[in-house]
Amino acid sequence: MRKLGIIGGMSWISTRAYYERINKIVQKKAPPMASPPMLIESLDYAPIAAAKNADDWDSIASTLVESARRLEAGGAQGLVMAANTMHKVYDRLTEAVSIPVLHIADCVGKAMEEDDCKNAALLGTRFVMTESFYRQRLVSHGVDLLPPDQGDVELVDGIIYKELMLGRVTRDAERALKTIITMKEKEGAEAIVLACTELELVVDTDANVLPVYNSTDIHCRAAADWILS
């Protein structure tokens, strides 16, 4: 098995999900008692959040590049970032290391392309929902995306940063996401892309009015396949 490096801590909740999920997937496919070799660096998210709020993406890129280099130096043969939004600096990261970095949106787009899913609504942080770095990756796989609704953007972004990343899961948040997904169906969406690792805490991905492409699951499956390939 190849050794995977995980840049985590954005949040610890998502990092835990990646570690657990990749292990479970590999365990099903590998010989008995096998567990995947992984290196995890869990970063302090506070300075990253402060830089994000100041729109200082150069600082964020530097932090993630340093982490990627440490993981590569430690023996990682490939990398994943356990966060959707941080893929905003993906290109800076890939330029800084000599090992592959699995892009979460490309993994999601490939899964949708294989399912012949042509139309979807994207839910995540405001960066993911409104900026091109994530949307264009999905579009390149033949997926048309509903335009972002500013009210939904503010609501979902607030739930992510003010609640889920702090480990708070409420019925109000669950109801809000269910309402948004129902409205997206009425607006013509054929599927939902759940492009935030924490959103699965308040979205039942198996019991919804629309098919849900859970970026965390898809990214973890791709990472497990890479480890075993």
Side-chain angles (χ1 to χ4, degrees):
M1 290 188 285
R2 294 192 284 190
K3 184 178 289 186
L4 179 72
I6 300 177
I7 302 175
M10 306 166 291
S11 63
W12 65 266
I13 295 166
S14 66
T15 308
R16 178 183 63 185
Y18 268 73
Y19 180 72
E20 181 178 3
R21 217 155 292 184
I22 292 170
N23 267 283
K24 286 182 176 180
I25 295 167
V26 169
Q27 196 169 52
K28 289 179 180 178
K29 297 182 176 183
M33 304 301 290
S35 56
M38 289 188 280
L39 296 175
I40 302 174
E41 180 161 79
S42 188
L43 299 171
D44 178 6
Y45 186 65
I48 296 173
K52 174 183 67 67
N53 292 336
D55 204 29
D56 183 5
W57 288 93
D58 286 340
S59 176
I60 293 171
S62 295
T63 298
L64 297 183
V65 162
E66 290 171 4
S67 178
R69 285 174 172 164
R70 285 191 293 269
L71 289 168
E72 182 178 22
Q77 297 166 279
L79 294 173
V80 294
M81 287 187 282
N84 286 267
T85 300
M86 294 303 121
H87 283 74
K88 183 176 168 74
V89 299
Y90 173 85
D91 291 340
R92 300 269 290 273
L93 203 68
T94 57
E95 291 168 1
V97 295
S98 61
I99 55 178
V101 184
L102 303 182
H103 196 295
I104 193 168
D106 280 340
C107 295
V108 174
K110 183 178 178 182
M112 298 178 78
E113 189 173 9
E114 289 172 353
D115 290 346
D116 198 30
C117 180
K118 302 288 189 184
N119 181 280
L122 179 62
L123 298 180
T125 67
R126 63 184 176 89
F127 301 99
V128 167
M129 293 177 75
T130 63
E131 297 186 16
S132 62
F133 74 92
Y134 201 102
R135 299 178 70 89
Q136 284 184 350
R137 295 268 179 171
L138 299 181
V139 171
S140 71
H141 287 276
V143 182
D144 288 329
L145 293 170
L146 267 62
D149 176 275
Q150 193 56 40
D152 293 343
V153 170
E154 296 300 326
L155 179 58
V156 175
D157 190 79
I159 289 171
I160 292 168
Y161 285 117
K162 296 176 183 177
E163 298 182 25
L164 301 181
M165 291 189 69
L166 301 175
R168 291 181 56 213
V169 178
T170 66
R171 288 290 299 160
D172 285 346
E174 291 175 357
R175 283 191 288 267
L177 266 297
K178 189 170 184 177
T179 298
I180 289 172
I181 291 172
T182 300
M183 290 304 298
K184 295 306 176 188
E185 182 197 28
K186 293 179 179 177
E187 292 169 14
E190 298 173 3
I192 296 293
V193 177
L194 212 60
C196 170
T197 47
E198 291 84 14
L199 277 178
E200 64 180 8
L201 295 172
V202 290
V203 175
D204 187 341
T205 57
D206 297 320
N208 243 296
V209 294
L210 291 172
V212 176
Y213 288 87
N214 184 345
S215 64
T216 306
D217 270 343
I218 293 168
H219 205 199
C220 287
R221 287 201 301 270
D225 288 342
W226 179 88
I227 289 169
L228 293 167
S229 63

